[in-house]
PDB file of all heavy atoms in Angstrom:
ATOM      1  N   GLY A 481       0.765  -1.229   0.000  1.00  0.00           N
ATOM      2  CA  GLY A 481       0.000   0.000   0.000  1.00  0.00           C
ATOM      3  C   GLY A 481       0.800   1.286   0.000  1.00  0.00           C
ATOM      4  O   GLY A 481       0.410   2.259  -0.620  1.00  0.00           O
ATOM      5  N   ASN A 482       1.936   1.332   0.658  1.00  0.00           N
ATOM      6  CA  ASN A 482       2.679   2.581   0.801  1.00  0.00           C
ATOM      7  C   ASN A 482       3.953   2.643  -0.028  1.00  0.00           C
ATOM      8  O   ASN A 482       4.807   3.475   0.218  1.00  0.00           O
ATOM      9  CB  ASN A 482       3.041   2.802   2.277  1.00  0.00           C
ATOM     10  CG  ASN A 482       1.811   2.994   3.123  1.00  0.00           C
ATOM     11  OD1 ASN A 482       0.808   3.522   2.655  1.00  0.00           O
ATOM     12  ND2 ASN A 482       1.870   2.552   4.359  1.00  0.00           N
ATOM     13  N   LEU A 483       4.115   1.760  -1.007  1.00  0.00           N
ATOM     14  CA  LEU A 483       5.324   1.772  -1.819  1.00  0.00           C
ATOM     15  C   LEU A 483       5.182   2.747  -2.974  1.00  0.00           C
ATOM     16  O   LEU A 483       4.185   2.753  -3.684  1.00  0.00           O
ATOM     17  CB  LEU A 483       5.617   0.385  -2.387  1.00  0.00           C
ATOM     18  CG  LEU A 483       6.082  -0.674  -1.403  1.00  0.00           C
ATOM     19  CD1 LEU A 483       6.330  -1.982  -2.119  1.00  0.00           C
ATOM     20  CD2 LEU A 483       7.324  -0.240  -0.672  1.00  0.00           C
ATOM     21  N   GLY A 484       6.190   3.551  -3.164  1.00  0.00           N
ATOM     22  CA  GLY A 484       6.219   4.478  -4.288  1.00  0.00           C
ATOM     23  C   GLY A 484       7.155   3.966  -5.370  1.00  0.00           C
ATOM     24  O   GLY A 484       7.706   2.859  -5.278  1.00  0.00           O
ATOM     25  N   MET A 485       7.351   4.777  -6.398  1.00  0.00           N
ATOM     26  CA  MET A 485       8.205   4.373  -7.511  1.00  0.00           C
ATOM     27  C   MET A 485       9.656   4.201  -7.077  1.00  0.00           C
ATOM     28  O   MET A 485      10.348   3.304  -7.555  1.00  0.00           O
ATOM     29  CB  MET A 485       8.115   5.401  -8.649  1.00  0.00           C
ATOM     30  CG  MET A 485       6.864   5.275  -9.468  1.00  0.00           C
ATOM     31  SD  MET A 485       6.631   3.639 -10.167  1.00  0.00           S
ATOM     32  CE  MET A 485       7.926   3.600 -11.374  1.00  0.00           C
ATOM     33  N   GLY A 486      10.128   5.032  -6.170  1.00  0.00           N
ATOM     34  CA  GLY A 486      11.508   4.909  -5.694  1.00  0.00           C
ATOM     35  C   GLY A 486      11.757   3.584  -4.994  1.00  0.00           C
ATOM     36  O   GLY A 486      12.765   2.912  -5.246  1.00  0.00           O
ATOM     37  N   GLU A 487      10.841   3.203  -4.138  1.00  0.00           N
ATOM     38  CA  GLU A 487      10.983   1.949  -3.417  1.00  0.00           C
ATOM     39  C   GLU A 487      10.912   0.749  -4.366  1.00  0.00           C
ATOM     40  O   GLU A 487      11.670  -0.213  -4.237  1.00  0.00           O
ATOM     41  CB  GLU A 487       9.905   1.811  -2.335  1.00  0.00           C
ATOM     42  CG  GLU A 487      10.087   2.749  -1.164  1.00  0.00           C
ATOM     43  CD  GLU A 487       9.422   4.097  -1.371  1.00  0.00           C
ATOM     44  OE1 GLU A 487       8.859   4.338  -2.454  1.00  0.00           O
ATOM     45  OE2 GLU A 487       9.473   4.922  -0.445  1.00  0.00           O
ATOM     46  N   LEU A 488       9.978   0.818  -5.332  1.00  0.00           N
ATOM     47  CA  LEU A 488       9.865  -0.276  -6.300  1.00  0.00           C
ATOM     48  C   LEU A 488      11.127  -0.392  -7.148  1.00  0.00           C
ATOM     49  O   LEU A 488      11.573  -1.505  -7.463  1.00  0.00           O
ATOM     50  CB  LEU A 488       8.646  -0.072  -7.196  1.00  0.00           C
ATOM     51  CG  LEU A 488       7.289  -0.272  -6.519  1.00  0.00           C
ATOM     52  CD1 LEU A 488       6.162   0.071  -7.480  1.00  0.00           C
ATOM     53  CD2 LEU A 488       7.143  -1.691  -6.014  1.00  0.00           C
ATOM     54  N   LEU A 489      11.712   0.719  -7.508  1.00  0.00           N
ATOM     55  CA  LEU A 489      12.942   0.717  -8.289  1.00  0.00           C
ATOM     56  C   LEU A 489      14.088   0.088  -7.493  1.00  0.00           C
ATOM     57  O   LEU A 489      14.859  -0.717  -8.028  1.00  0.00           O
ATOM     58  CB  LEU A 489      13.307   2.141  -8.708  1.00  0.00           C
ATOM     59  CG  LEU A 489      14.497   2.298  -9.624  1.00  0.00           C
ATOM     60  CD1 LEU A 489      14.244   1.595 -10.943  1.00  0.00           C
ATOM     61  CD2 LEU A 489      14.776   3.761  -9.864  1.00  0.00           C
ATOM     62  N   ILE A 490      14.184   0.408  -6.225  1.00  0.00           N
ATOM     63  CA  ILE A 490      15.220  -0.174  -5.375  1.00  0.00           C
ATOM     64  C   ILE A 490      15.016  -1.676  -5.230  1.00  0.00           C
ATOM     65  O   ILE A 490      15.973  -2.457  -5.316  1.00  0.00           O
ATOM     66  CB  ILE A 490      15.248   0.521  -3.994  1.00  0.00           C
ATOM     67  CG1 ILE A 490      15.762   1.956  -4.158  1.00  0.00           C
ATOM     68  CG2 ILE A 490      16.122  -0.253  -3.009  1.00  0.00           C
ATOM     69  CD1 ILE A 490      15.655   2.795  -2.910  1.00  0.00           C
ATOM     70  N   ILE A 491      13.786  -2.113  -5.048  1.00  0.00           N
ATOM     71  CA  ILE A 491      13.494  -3.547  -4.926  1.00  0.00           C
ATOM     72  C   ILE A 491      13.873  -4.274  -6.212  1.00  0.00           C
ATOM     73  O   ILE A 491      14.489  -5.341  -6.184  1.00  0.00           O
ATOM     74  CB  ILE A 491      12.016  -3.762  -4.569  1.00  0.00           C
ATOM     75  CG1 ILE A 491      11.751  -3.283  -3.141  1.00  0.00           C
ATOM     76  CG2 ILE A 491      11.625  -5.234  -4.724  1.00  0.00           C
ATOM     77  CD1 ILE A 491      10.293  -3.228  -2.767  1.00  0.00           C
ATOM     78  N   CYS A 492      13.521  -3.695  -7.368  1.00  0.00           N
ATOM     79  CA  CYS A 492      13.869  -4.308  -8.655  1.00  0.00           C
ATOM     80  C   CYS A 492      15.378  -4.396  -8.831  1.00  0.00           C
ATOM     81  O   CYS A 492      15.895  -5.396  -9.335  1.00  0.00           O
ATOM     82  CB  CYS A 492      13.239  -3.534  -9.802  1.00  0.00           C
ATOM     83  SG  CYS A 492      11.459  -3.693  -9.894  1.00  0.00           S
ATOM     84  N   LEU A 493      16.098  -3.372  -8.416  1.00  0.00           N
ATOM     85  CA  LEU A 493      17.549  -3.371  -8.512  1.00  0.00           C
ATOM     86  C   LEU A 493      18.157  -4.457  -7.630  1.00  0.00           C
ATOM     87  O   LEU A 493      19.079  -5.170  -8.046  1.00  0.00           O
ATOM     88  CB  LEU A 493      18.101  -1.996  -8.128  1.00  0.00           C
ATOM     89  CG  LEU A 493      19.600  -1.812  -8.226  1.00  0.00           C
ATOM     90  CD1 LEU A 493      20.054  -1.980  -9.667  1.00  0.00           C
ATOM     91  CD2 LEU A 493      19.996  -0.463  -7.700  1.00  0.00           C
ATOM     92  N   ILE A 494      17.643  -4.612  -6.432  1.00  0.00           N
ATOM     93  CA  ILE A 494      18.144  -5.657  -5.523  1.00  0.00           C
ATOM     94  C   ILE A 494      17.883  -7.042  -6.103  1.00  0.00           C
ATOM     95  O   ILE A 494      18.757  -7.916  -6.076  1.00  0.00           O
ATOM     96  CB  ILE A 494      17.521  -5.493  -4.122  1.00  0.00           C
ATOM     97  CG1 ILE A 494      18.062  -4.230  -3.451  1.00  0.00           C
ATOM     98  CG2 ILE A 494      17.794  -6.718  -3.259  1.00  0.00           C
ATOM     99  CD1 ILE A 494      17.367  -3.862  -2.165  1.00  0.00           C
ATOM    100  N   VAL A 495      16.692  -7.257  -6.652  1.00  0.00           N
ATOM    101  CA  VAL A 495      16.374  -8.548  -7.263  1.00  0.00           C
ATOM    102  C   VAL A 495      17.308  -8.817  -8.438  1.00  0.00           C
ATOM    103  O   VAL A 495      17.808  -9.929  -8.607  1.00  0.00           O
ATOM    104  CB  VAL A 495      14.894  -8.591  -7.711  1.00  0.00           C
ATOM    105  CG1 VAL A 495      14.611  -9.787  -8.592  1.00  0.00           C
ATOM    106  CG2 VAL A 495      13.979  -8.600  -6.498  1.00  0.00           C
ATOM    107  N   LEU A 496      17.567  -7.796  -9.235  1.00  0.00           N
ATOM    108  CA  LEU A 496      18.480  -7.945 -10.372  1.00  0.00           C
ATOM    109  C   LEU A 496      19.883  -8.305  -9.902  1.00  0.00           C
ATOM    110  O   LEU A 496      20.542  -9.172 -10.487  1.00  0.00           O
ATOM    111  CB  LEU A 496      18.506  -6.653 -11.189  1.00  0.00           C
ATOM    112  CG  LEU A 496      19.371  -6.657 -12.437  1.00  0.00           C
ATOM    113  CD1 LEU A 496      18.858  -7.688 -13.430  1.00  0.00           C
ATOM    114  CD2 LEU A 496      19.379  -5.277 -13.070  1.00  0.00           C
ATOM    115  N   LEU A 497      20.336  -7.680  -8.842  1.00  0.00           N
ATOM    116  CA  LEU A 497      21.670  -7.978  -8.316  1.00  0.00           C
ATOM    117  C   LEU A 497      21.747  -9.381  -7.716  1.00  0.00           C
ATOM    118  O   LEU A 497      22.757 -10.070  -7.851  1.00  0.00           O
ATOM    119  CB  LEU A 497      22.083  -6.941  -7.274  1.00  0.00           C
ATOM    120  CG  LEU A 497      22.388  -5.542  -7.806  1.00  0.00           C
ATOM    121  CD1 LEU A 497      22.615  -4.585  -6.646  1.00  0.00           C
ATOM    122  CD2 LEU A 497      23.577  -5.570  -8.740  1.00  0.00           C
ATOM    123  N   LEU A 498      20.684  -9.812  -7.039  1.00  0.00           N
ATOM    124  CA  LEU A 498      20.694 -11.125  -6.401  1.00  0.00           C
ATOM    125  C   LEU A 498      20.629 -12.263  -7.412  1.00  0.00           C
ATOM    126  O   LEU A 498      21.331 -13.266  -7.278  1.00  0.00           O
ATOM    127  CB  LEU A 498      19.531 -11.247  -5.415  1.00  0.00           C
ATOM    128  CG  LEU A 498      19.646 -10.448  -4.124  1.00  0.00           C
ATOM    129  CD1 LEU A 498      18.375 -10.594  -3.300  1.00  0.00           C
ATOM    130  CD2 LEU A 498      20.841 -10.919  -3.322  1.00  0.00           C
ATOM    131  N   PHE A 499      19.746 -12.145  -8.406  1.00  0.00           N
ATOM    132  CA  PHE A 499      19.511 -13.262  -9.316  1.00  0.00           C
ATOM    133  C   PHE A 499      20.237 -13.130 -10.642  1.00  0.00           C
ATOM    134  O   PHE A 499      20.419 -14.106 -11.348  1.00  0.00           O
ATOM    135  CB  PHE A 499      18.009 -13.418  -9.569  1.00  0.00           C
ATOM    136  CG  PHE A 499      17.249 -13.833  -8.343  1.00  0.00           C
ATOM    137  CD1 PHE A 499      16.423 -12.938  -7.700  1.00  0.00           C
ATOM    138  CD2 PHE A 499      17.378 -15.105  -7.834  1.00  0.00           C
ATOM    139  CE1 PHE A 499      15.720 -13.311  -6.571  1.00  0.00           C
ATOM    140  CE2 PHE A 499      16.692 -15.497  -6.706  1.00  0.00           C
ATOM    141  CZ  PHE A 499      15.859 -14.586  -6.070  1.00  0.00           C
ATOM    142  N   GLY A 500      20.639 -11.952 -11.019  1.00  0.00           N
ATOM    143  CA  GLY A 500      21.308 -11.764 -12.298  1.00  0.00           C
ATOM    144  C   GLY A 500      20.315 -11.639 -13.437  1.00  0.00           C
ATOM    145  O   GLY A 500      19.172 -12.085 -13.351  1.00  0.00           O
ATOM    146  N   GLY A 501      20.748 -11.029 -14.510  1.00  0.00           N
ATOM    147  CA  GLY A 501      19.876 -10.764 -15.647  1.00  0.00           C
ATOM    148  C   GLY A 501      19.405 -12.014 -16.371  1.00  0.00           C
ATOM    149  O   GLY A 501      18.332 -12.038 -16.959  1.00  0.00           O
ATOM    150  N   LYS A 502      20.197 -13.078 -16.347  1.00  0.00           N
ATOM    151  CA  LYS A 502      19.826 -14.290 -17.064  1.00  0.00           C
ATOM    152  C   LYS A 502      18.833 -15.148 -16.286  1.00  0.00           C
ATOM    153  O   LYS A 502      18.076 -15.911 -16.875  1.00  0.00           O
ATOM    154  CB  LYS A 502      21.068 -15.112 -17.387  1.00  0.00           C
ATOM    155  CG  LYS A 502      21.982 -14.422 -18.374  1.00  0.00           C
ATOM    156  CD  LYS A 502      23.167 -15.282 -18.721  1.00  0.00           C
ATOM    157  CE  LYS A 502      24.053 -14.552 -19.715  1.00  0.00           C
ATOM    158  NZ  LYS A 502      25.202 -15.360 -20.106  1.00  0.00           N
ATOM    159  N   LYS A 503      18.834 -15.043 -14.998  1.00  0.00           N
ATOM    160  CA  LYS A 503      17.974 -15.895 -14.171  1.00  0.00           C
ATOM    161  C   LYS A 503      16.552 -15.347 -14.042  1.00  0.00           C
ATOM    162  O   LYS A 503      15.603 -16.111 -13.866  1.00  0.00           O
ATOM    163  CB  LYS A 503      18.607 -16.031 -12.781  1.00  0.00           C
ATOM    164  CG  LYS A 503      18.013 -17.079 -11.930  1.00  0.00           C
ATOM    165  CD  LYS A 503      18.349 -18.449 -12.444  1.00  0.00           C
ATOM    166  CE  LYS A 503      17.881 -19.505 -11.479  1.00  0.00           C
ATOM    167  NZ  LYS A 503      18.060 -20.840 -11.985  1.00  0.00           N
ATOM    168  N   ILE A 504      16.369 -14.037 -14.153  1.00  0.00           N
ATOM    169  CA  ILE A 504      15.052 -13.420 -13.957  1.00  0.00           C
ATOM    170  C   ILE A 504      14.026 -13.906 -14.978  1.00  0.00           C
ATOM    171  O   ILE A 504      12.908 -14.243 -14.589  1.00  0.00           O
ATOM    172  CB  ILE A 504      15.172 -11.885 -13.933  1.00  0.00           C
ATOM    173  CG1 ILE A 504      15.903 -11.476 -12.660  1.00  0.00           C
ATOM    174  CG2 ILE A 504      13.802 -11.226 -13.985  1.00  0.00           C
ATOM    175  CD1 ILE A 504      16.205 -10.011 -12.561  1.00  0.00           C
ATOM    176  N   PRO A 505      14.343 -13.993 -16.291  1.00  0.00           N
ATOM    177  CA  PRO A 505      13.334 -14.521 -17.221  1.00  0.00           C
ATOM    178  C   PRO A 505      12.899 -15.954 -16.895  1.00  0.00           C
ATOM    179  O   PRO A 505      11.731 -16.305 -17.055  1.00  0.00           O
ATOM    180  CB  PRO A 505      14.035 -14.464 -18.583  1.00  0.00           C
ATOM    181  CG  PRO A 505      15.044 -13.394 -18.439  1.00  0.00           C
ATOM    182  CD  PRO A 505      15.496 -13.473 -17.014  1.00  0.00           C
ATOM    183  N   GLU A 506      13.843 -16.768 -16.419  1.00  0.00           N
ATOM    184  CA  GLU A 506      13.494 -18.131 -16.022  1.00  0.00           C
ATOM    185  C   GLU A 506      12.533 -18.120 -14.831  1.00  0.00           C
ATOM    186  O   GLU A 506      11.580 -18.901 -14.785  1.00  0.00           O
ATOM    187  CB  GLU A 506      14.745 -18.915 -15.662  1.00  0.00           C
ATOM    188  CG  GLU A 506      15.681 -19.162 -16.823  1.00  0.00           C
ATOM    189  CD  GLU A 506      16.968 -19.827 -16.384  1.00  0.00           C
ATOM    190  OE1 GLU A 506      16.998 -20.438 -15.300  1.00  0.00           O
ATOM    191  OE2 GLU A 506      17.950 -19.734 -17.137  1.00  0.00           O
ATOM    192  N   LEU A 507      12.776 -17.240 -13.875  1.00  0.00           N
ATOM    193  CA  LEU A 507      11.895 -17.133 -12.713  1.00  0.00           C
ATOM    194  C   LEU A 507      10.492 -16.685 -13.129  1.00  0.00           C
ATOM    195  O   LEU A 507       9.492 -17.227 -12.666  1.00  0.00           O
ATOM    196  CB  LEU A 507      12.468 -16.152 -11.693  1.00  0.00           C
ATOM    197  CG  LEU A 507      13.752 -16.565 -10.990  1.00  0.00           C
ATOM    198  CD1 LEU A 507      14.313 -15.401 -10.189  1.00  0.00           C
ATOM    199  CD2 LEU A 507      13.499 -17.746 -10.097  1.00  0.00           C
ATOM    200  N   MET A 508      10.422 -15.704 -14.022  1.00  0.00           N
ATOM    201  CA  MET A 508       9.120 -15.204 -14.475  1.00  0.00           C
ATOM    202  C   MET A 508       8.376 -16.256 -15.294  1.00  0.00           C
ATOM    203  O   MET A 508       7.162 -16.382 -15.206  1.00  0.00           O
ATOM    204  CB  MET A 508       9.295 -13.927 -15.298  1.00  0.00           C
ATOM    205  CG  MET A 508       9.819 -12.747 -14.496  1.00  0.00           C
ATOM    206  SD  MET A 508       8.696 -12.288 -13.175  1.00  0.00           S
ATOM    207  CE  MET A 508       9.654 -12.712 -11.743  1.00  0.00           C
ATOM    208  N   ARG A 509       9.110 -17.016 -16.092  1.00  0.00           N
ATOM    209  CA  ARG A 509       8.495 -18.084 -16.881  1.00  0.00           C
ATOM    210  C   ARG A 509       7.895 -19.141 -15.955  1.00  0.00           C
ATOM    211  O   ARG A 509       6.775 -19.614 -16.153  1.00  0.00           O
ATOM    212  CB  ARG A 509       9.543 -18.710 -17.801  1.00  0.00           C
ATOM    213  CG  ARG A 509       8.972 -19.567 -18.890  1.00  0.00           C
ATOM    214  CD  ARG A 509      10.057 -20.017 -19.879  1.00  0.00           C
ATOM    215  NE  ARG A 509      10.749 -18.874 -20.479  1.00  0.00           N
ATOM    216  CZ  ARG A 509      12.056 -18.635 -20.358  1.00  0.00           C
ATOM    217  NH1 ARG A 509      12.814 -19.455 -19.659  1.00  0.00           N
ATOM    218  NH2 ARG A 509      12.602 -17.586 -20.934  1.00  0.00           N
ATOM    219  N   GLY A 510       8.628 -19.522 -14.919  1.00  0.00           N
ATOM    220  CA  GLY A 510       8.118 -20.486 -13.946  1.00  0.00           C
ATOM    221  C   GLY A 510       6.902 -19.951 -13.207  1.00  0.00           C
ATOM    222  O   GLY A 510       5.948 -20.690 -12.961  1.00  0.00           O
ATOM    223  N   LEU A 511       6.927 -18.675 -12.870  1.00  0.00           N
ATOM    224  CA  LEU A 511       5.791 -18.055 -12.203  1.00  0.00           C
ATOM    225  C   LEU A 511       4.567 -18.065 -13.116  1.00  0.00           C
ATOM    226  O   LEU A 511       3.457 -18.370 -12.682  1.00  0.00           O
ATOM    227  CB  LEU A 511       6.138 -16.627 -11.792  1.00  0.00           C
ATOM    228  CG  LEU A 511       5.070 -15.846 -11.047  1.00  0.00           C
ATOM    229  CD1 LEU A 511       4.785 -16.499  -9.707  1.00  0.00           C
ATOM    230  CD2 LEU A 511       5.507 -14.416 -10.863  1.00  0.00           C
ATOM    231  N   GLY A 512       4.773 -17.759 -14.394  1.00  0.00           N
ATOM    232  CA  GLY A 512       3.674 -17.772 -15.360  1.00  0.00           C
ATOM    233  C   GLY A 512       3.076 -19.159 -15.519  1.00  0.00           C
ATOM    234  O   GLY A 512       1.857 -19.319 -15.598  1.00  0.00           O
ATOM    235  N   LYS A 513       3.928 -20.187 -15.550  1.00  0.00           N
ATOM    236  CA  LYS A 513       3.429 -21.561 -15.656  1.00  0.00           C
ATOM    237  C   LYS A 513       2.617 -21.937 -14.419  1.00  0.00           C
ATOM    238  O   LYS A 513       1.597 -22.609 -14.518  1.00  0.00           O
ATOM    239  CB  LYS A 513       4.586 -22.538 -15.836  1.00  0.00           C
ATOM    240  CG  LYS A 513       5.195 -22.491 -17.210  1.00  0.00           C
ATOM    241  CD  LYS A 513       6.334 -23.480 -17.334  1.00  0.00           C
ATOM    242  CE  LYS A 513       6.982 -23.410 -18.701  1.00  0.00           C
ATOM    243  NZ  LYS A 513       8.096 -24.363 -18.821  1.00  0.00           N
ATOM    244  N   GLY A 514       3.062 -21.501 -13.264  1.00  0.00           N
ATOM    245  CA  GLY A 514       2.327 -21.790 -12.032  1.00  0.00           C
ATOM    246  C   GLY A 514       0.963 -21.123 -12.009  1.00  0.00           C
ATOM    247  O   GLY A 514      -0.027 -21.731 -11.619  1.00  0.00           O
ATOM    248  N   VAL A 515       0.899 -19.868 -12.445  1.00  0.00           N
ATOM    249  CA  VAL A 515      -0.375 -19.149 -12.491  1.00  0.00           C
ATOM    250  C   VAL A 515      -1.309 -19.809 -13.497  1.00  0.00           C
ATOM    251  O   VAL A 515      -2.501 -19.978 -13.242  1.00  0.00           O
ATOM    252  CB  VAL A 515      -0.145 -17.658 -12.837  1.00  0.00           C
ATOM    253  CG1 VAL A 515      -1.449 -16.962 -13.144  1.00  0.00           C
ATOM    254  CG2 VAL A 515       0.569 -16.965 -11.698  1.00  0.00           C
TER     255      VAL A 515
END
């Protein structure tokens, strides 16, 4: 409820740093299959 664009940008950056650019599409693909 209280997240703004700055906070979302920081979260996305942290996720990118943790998983790397190549791993994120695989994670999203798996999430899509689950949904």
Side-chain angles (χ1 to χ4, degrees):
N482 295 329
L483 289 180
M485 282 304 290
E487 290 88 357
L488 289 175
L489 185 62
I490 291 172
I491 291 170
C492 290
L493 182 63
I494 291 171
V495 168
L496 182 63
L497 290 173
L498 288 176
F499 294 108
K502 294 183 180 181
K503 192 70 173 174
I504 291 175
E506 294 174 21
L507 292 171
M508 294 298 113
R509 195 173 302 119
L511 182 64
K513 286 180 182 180
V515 169

